[in-house]
Amino acid sequence: MKWIKWLILAVLVLFLLAGGLPILMQRNYKETLVMGDGVTRVFKLSDYFEPLKGTIGDTNIYEFKGQAEGGKMLIIAGTHESEVSAMVTAFLFIENLKTEAGTVYVIPHFNYSGSLGTQPGGGYPLYYTIPTPWGEKKFRLGDRGLQALDQWPDPDVYVHYPDGQLLSYIDARNTNRTWPGRPNGTMGERITYAAMEMIRNEKIDVVIDLHEAETMFPVTNCIVAPERSKNYAVGAALYVKGREKFESHVEPSPSNFRGLSHREVGDYSDALVFLLEAPCVHLDQISGPKTNDLMIVGKDPFINVAAEKGLLFVPIDERGWTIERRVGQQSSVIQEIVNQFNRKNPERKILFTAPKHAEVVEKGMGTFFKDPEKAAESRIAFE
Ligand SMILES: [Zn+2]
């Protein structure tokens, strides 16, 4: 009966390979980007905090420096790596943004570890793709927090530093609960500490943290702003509604809920901070199979039923919450926040151009991405 043992062992090894290999391959898959002419430099977050160098917490920062002097803006994407439109907006900017005055910095994968694996048991694909005129552009789909592989073990209760507020254990790996961070803390705390060092050392004027949220979650389709940023956010919300005909309301940042970018960045630096939430259906618990279409086309029959029952916080129509609408919204809201900033701070103007909501919706997401096969080698970037 010895052969039965060998058979069981062979089956086990097969299962292990079938389950493990795709996950290992995703962890090592590199996204290819074609940097636009606007990118003047690529450097590392660890340039502001040496101990991050060579670790999974380090990540790329793309700089867009204008000819004229001006203010500075930092755009953070990939705090939550399952919130697709945040990263796609960063990729859109890296390939298309041009700066005339001041400096724009873009971080596409703030929580790089989070981009290296999807939510365990969540039923999500390992990648998402966007159709382009030259083929499918492929990205890693990530998770909300750092991978347990990269920050382990989880505590029983997460104690926020420096406030001491007690938060869910799972938020110890959430880089939107570890602000402002500390140099000798967990990986998550070191990442946010490095970003705070950048914001303080570079004297960043505007910090924008990109997210998307469920249609059944009240804090969606909005700009979250603390007290100092509120007037800018209200102005931006009114202008996008008036000029670009879409809604994005303002939510106040609660002062008693700690660790979030829209709270701590403003409290621990001079920057004006904003967190943008675009609505998406793939994160809604009730949505159907977590397919590529669900993330990119943004339509789901169960969400439609929920909409009929009045359970959603955003309107649903035949268009779906497409990647174009979500990315276009992120881009236009960012640009309107900067317009508001420029009006009140003419000596620190930040002038740049990037595709706006109507243009992205009309032309389609894929038309803004260049074919890496036809690009100069010096313009290729890997994420
Ligand atoms: Zn988020």
Side-chain angles (χ1 to χ4, degrees):
M1 291 304 273
K2 212 173 175 186
W3 63 272
I4 288 196
K5 288 180 187 167
W6 284 110
L7 184 70
I8 292 170
L9 186 68
V11 169
L12 276 176
V13 168
L14 268 178
F15 268 109
L16 213 67
L17 288 176
L21 266 183
I23 291 170
L24 185 69
M25 283 163 73
Q26 185 212 20
R27 196 171 161 88
N28 290 291
Y29 178 80
K30 293 283 180 213
E31 299 161 336
T32 311
L33 302 175
V34 181
M35 291 185 283
D37 300 336
V39 177
T40 43
R41 190 165 66 108
V42 185
F43 59 104
K44 290 277 185 185
L45 184 58
S46 60
D47 289 1
Y48 299 95
F49 181 54
E50 180 76 19
L52 213 56
K53 203 175 203 146
T55 71
I56 204 80
D58 206 359
T59 195
N60 290 330
I61 305 176
Y62 295 76
E63 178 200 80
F64 304 74
K65 196 170 166 50
Q67 293 283 333
E69 291 290 309
K72 291 179 176 179
M73 169 167 65
L74 169 62
I75 298 169
I76 297 171
T79 294
H80 296 148
E81 290 278 350
S82 53
E83 298 169 10
V84 173
S85 75
M87 284 75 73
V88 180
T89 304
F91 301 142
L92 172 78
F93 281 5
I94 291 166
E95 298 215 4
N96 298 277
L97 188 138
K98 287 193 175 75
T99 310
E100 291 157 44
T103 309
V104 177
Y105 300 99
V106 176
I107 302 179
H109 288 301
F110 184 59
N111 168 16
Y112 192 82
S113 160
S115 79
L116 304 178
T118 61
Q119 182 193 329
Y124 289 95
L126 300 177
Y127 308 90
Y128 60 95
T129 59
I130 294 175
T132 76
W134 46 265
E136 298 279 319
K137 195 164 179 70
K138 184 174 165 186
F139 304 98
R140 293 185 306 273
L141 181 65
D143 195 4
R144 189 173 163 82
L146 286 110
Q147 302 293 311
L149 269 178
D150 301 321
Q151 185 179 305
W152 187 88
D154 290 332
D156 288 335
V157 175
Y158 165 46
V159 184
H160 174 258
Y161 176 85
D163 192 74
Q165 189 169 59
L166 303 182
L167 296 165
S168 161
Y169 77 96
I170 198 79
D171 281 332
R173 285 191 272 123
N174 180 351
T175 49
N176 200 27
R177 296 295 182 279
T178 58
W179 295 94
R182 53 179 151 180
N184 55 350
T186 61
M187 183 59 81
E189 286 173 322
R190 278 179 275 161
I191 293 168
T192 44
Y193 176 78
M196 285 306 312
E197 283 292 282
M198 176 188 183
I199 293 163
R200 291 185 285 243
N201 287 325
E202 293 290 346
K203 298 186 168 46
I204 305 276
D205 301 278
V206 178
V207 175
I208 298 185
D209 187 12
L210 300 177
H211 290 250
E212 57 186 10
E214 300 89 331
T215 58
M216 294 184 83
F217 186 61
V219 185
T220 191
N221 203 29
C222 62
I223 309 167
V224 189
E227 303 77 7
R228 271 199 295 127
S229 309
K230 204 181 88 189
N231 284 347
Y232 299 87
V234 170
L238 287 173
Y239 270 92
V240 293
K241 189 176 180 183
R243 283 184 189 159
E244 307 198 36
K245 311 293 176 215
F246 69 81
E247 298 266 354
S248 184
H249 70 278
V250 178
E251 287 279 338
S253 164
S255 58
N256 56 357
F257 188 10
R258 307 310 303 194
L260 295 107
S261 61
H262 55 72
R263 169 50 43 201
E264 311 292 353
V265 170
D267 286 3
Y268 284 87
S269 78
D270 296 328
L272 294 164
V273 60
F274 306 85
L275 184 148
L276 310 193
E277 295 279 12
C280 70
V281 297
H282 68 275
L283 294 175
D284 275 301
Q285 292 290 339
I286 63 156
S287 58
K290 309 293 186 190
T291 60
N292 198 69
D293 261 11
L294 191 66
M295 289 181 271
I296 303 303
V297 184
K299 285 184 183 179
D300 181 78
F302 300 100
I303 291 292
N304 292 346
V305 174
E308 281 164 25
K309 294 186 183 300
L311 296 172
L312 308 185
F313 291 88
V314 287
I316 294 287
D317 56 34
E318 68 293 339
R319 292 175 295 173
W321 279 104
T322 62
I323 193 73
E324 284 82 7
R325 285 180 72 195
R326 283 137 62 204
V327 170
Q329 174 165 333
Q330 305 268 32
S331 176
S332 280
V333 172
I334 292 170
Q335 295 185 58
E336 203 48 64
I337 287 171
V338 172
N339 284 343
Q340 299 295 318
F341 172 80
N342 289 345
R343 197 167 297 158
K344 292 178 180 120
N345 305 274
E347 73 296 346
R348 296 283 294 170
K349 262 191 182 146
I350 306 163
L351 296 174
F352 68 94
T353 55
K356 284 188 163 187
H357 183 260
E359 191 187 353
V360 179
V361 169
E362 190 202 316
K363 293 186 179 166
M365 198 68 246
T367 60
F368 296 95
F369 293 124
K370 296 170 209 81
D371 185 353
E373 299 276 313
K374 295 191 177 127
E377 210 174 312
S378 62
R379 301 315 287 174
I380 301 281
F382 296 103
E383 278 298 329

